[in-house]
Amino acid sequence: MVEIKNDAALAAMREAGRVVAQALAAVREAAAVGVSLRELDGVAREVLAKAGATSPFLGYQPAFAPVPFPGVICTSVNDAVVHGVPTDYRLRDGDLLGVDCGALLDGWAGDAAITFSVGTPRPGDTELVAATQRALDAGIAAAVVGNRTGDISHAVESAATAAGCGMPADLGGHGIGRQMHEEPHLPNHGRPGRGLRLRHGLVLAIEPMLMAGGGVDYRTAPDGWTLLTTDGSRAAHIEHTVAITDAGPQILTAL
Ligand code: MG
Ligand code: MG
């Protein structure tokens, strides 16, 4: 069932989203050569705890997962697309780091992700991140009342294709509210004019995941969580929780 939020719920979701944005900003600030992914997870945990929020990631175990997720952030390095586990791996100069974070505050969820280079960016990484941001921006611009979910999907896909990048065929965004993952599924590929009609109060997590190699294939790492590009090319993931409103799309995961 697709749940439409009233304005009080949207305001509450903005507060949950703000905590996510704060956690991501703190992780970005702390990320440096020699810092471990587990230490970054600790930084995010502190922000969530201080805000009185809990994590929808920690202990999450969907059907595909062999073990509950052990962190409050996903940390996806270089050829990892999404769902990277925060391990003791220490960041190196030029690593491309994707950080995905969720928060639950007063019964409402927020979900967002950033990708950035640690130290000196490798050739192509800055362009990959910029293309991913353009895909997200295009998706958000299409998230207007009267459009359909397919218009968002198509906008995201067109921006990725224009950049020569691929995206995993079956991964995408999602509705969000009291749960991190709600209906509808929001594919990153789609046709304009198809799918659910967008109304005031619908909240979606929009999250392009671009793979520089241009393919759609990915594989699961032995940890059962981390998704990697099959061609070893680098990937970037950027996400916002966005409310569709009569006043236009509103980013709820902003500072
Ligand atoms: Mg996310
Ligand atoms: Mg999400």
Side-chain angles (χ1 to χ4, degrees):
M1 208 192 89
V2 173
E3 194 202 349
I4 298 299
K5 281 80 181 175
N6 63 28
D7 289 354
L10 295 182
M13 288 190 73
R14 187 182 288 279
E15 293 310 310
R18 196 189 317 275
V19 176
V20 174
Q22 288 167 347
L24 289 173
V27 168
R28 184 173 194 147
E29 178 77 24
V33 174
V35 174
S36 79
L37 301 177
R38 197 187 300 275
E39 286 163 356
L40 294 180
D41 186 66
V43 168
R45 282 180 196 240
E46 211 167 288
V47 173
L48 265 57
K50 252 188 198 153
T54 57
S55 170
F57 288 22
L58 188 64
Y60 185 56
Q61 189 170 20
F64 65 80
V67 293
F69 195 78
V72 305
I73 54 173
C74 297
T75 48
S76 304
V77 181
N78 297 337
D79 60 338
V81 187
V82 286
H83 300 170
V85 174
T87 62
D88 288 321
Y89 174 82
R90 291 193 179 278
L91 291 164
R92 298 174 189 177
D93 188 49
D95 275 348
L96 183 61
L97 175 63
V99 182
D100 194 342
C101 184
L104 291 167
L105 183 71
D106 297 330
W108 295 97
D111 185 13
I114 57 176
T115 295
F116 57 93
S117 291
V118 177
T120 312
R122 291 275 187 89
D125 284 354
T126 304
E127 292 75 10
L128 177 62
V129 172
T132 308
Q133 183 67 53
R134 284 198 300 276
L136 175 59
D137 292 345
I140 293 172
V144 295
V145 171
N147 265 0
R148 292 181 181 267
T149 49
D151 295 304
I152 299 174
S153 304
H154 181 72
V156 168
E157 179 182 7
S158 299
T161 305
C165 294
M167 292 186 291
D170 57 344
L171 302 179
H174 48 90
I176 177 170
R178 291 198 173 272
Q179 313 280 329
M180 175 173 60
H181 291 139
E182 293 185 353
E183 288 182 53
H185 176 59
L186 179 66
N188 279 333
H189 302 78
R191 294 169 64 184
R194 301 294 179 94
L196 181 76
R197 177 85 65 185
L198 307 181
R199 307 170 39 185
H200 177 92
L202 178 65
V203 183
L204 298 170
I206 306 175
E207 47 182 313
M209 312 157 191
L210 270 63
M211 302 187 290
V216 296
D217 296 326
Y218 62 90
R219 65 184 174 90
T220 305
D223 66 20
W225 271 104
T226 312
L227 303 183
L228 303 161
T229 62
T230 49
D231 60 6
S233 69
R234 292 157 91 90
H237 172 221
I238 309 181
E239 175 180 25
H240 269 309
T241 296
V242 179
I244 286 114
T245 79
D246 291 328
Q250 310 283 323
I251 294 174
L252 301 184
T253 36
L255 284 174

